[in-house]
Amino acid sequence: MEVKKTALAGTLESSDVQVMISPNESGITIDLVSDVKKQFGEAIVARVKQVLSAYDITDAMVKIVDKGALDSVIKARMIAAVQRALDIVEEPKWEVL
């Protein structure tokens, strides 16, 4: 699926994550900012790629600002941002959950 617009989900509060997804023409680009990047950076990027793959997104720019969010929070914020970026908020892809 094609990312139609820039979308944002999440906050910069402690234990949350802010996700911004924008259109991109050259594959997947992930920019991760996190205090725990050294310990959990690979796991966060893997979750981001898993959600993008579930929506068949091959071109997107994703900026993640992590404030110590749990994996389930990262997945939920990613799903919200992707659905907003694809403009399918009214018709969610339930099988992704």
Side-chain angles (χ1 to χ4, degrees):
M1 297 183 98
E2 182 182 339
V3 175
K4 297 179 181 180
K5 60 184 179 181
T6 298
L8 185 71
T11 69
L12 296 175
E13 299 291 322
S14 181
S15 300
D16 202 356
V17 63
Q18 187 177 67
V19 176
M20 183 170 65
I21 299 176
S22 304
N24 192 15
E25 295 182 6
S26 58
I28 302 291
T29 304
I30 300 172
D31 178 20
L32 173 62
V33 176
S34 175
D35 293 338
V36 294
K37 184 176 181 177
K38 194 173 201 178
Q39 297 93 338
F40 301 106
E42 289 180 21
I44 294 168
V45 170
R47 175 58 72 191
V48 168
K49 288 180 179 179
Q50 184 263 329
V51 173
L52 293 173
S53 175
Y55 283 92
D56 298 321
I57 296 173
T58 56
D59 297 311
M61 184 177 302
V62 183
K63 174 148 175 106
I64 307 285
V65 181
D66 174 52
K67 295 294 183 176
L70 297 174
D71 186 61
S72 57
V73 174
I74 294 167
K75 182 177 178 182
R77 297 300 193 196
M78 275 298 299
I79 290 171
V82 166
Q83 289 186 169
R84 291 172 183 165
L86 296 175
D87 205 20
I88 59 169
V89 175
E90 300 297 323
E91 304 159 8
K93 190 173 177 182
W94 294 109
E95 59 271 14
V96 172
L97 298 176

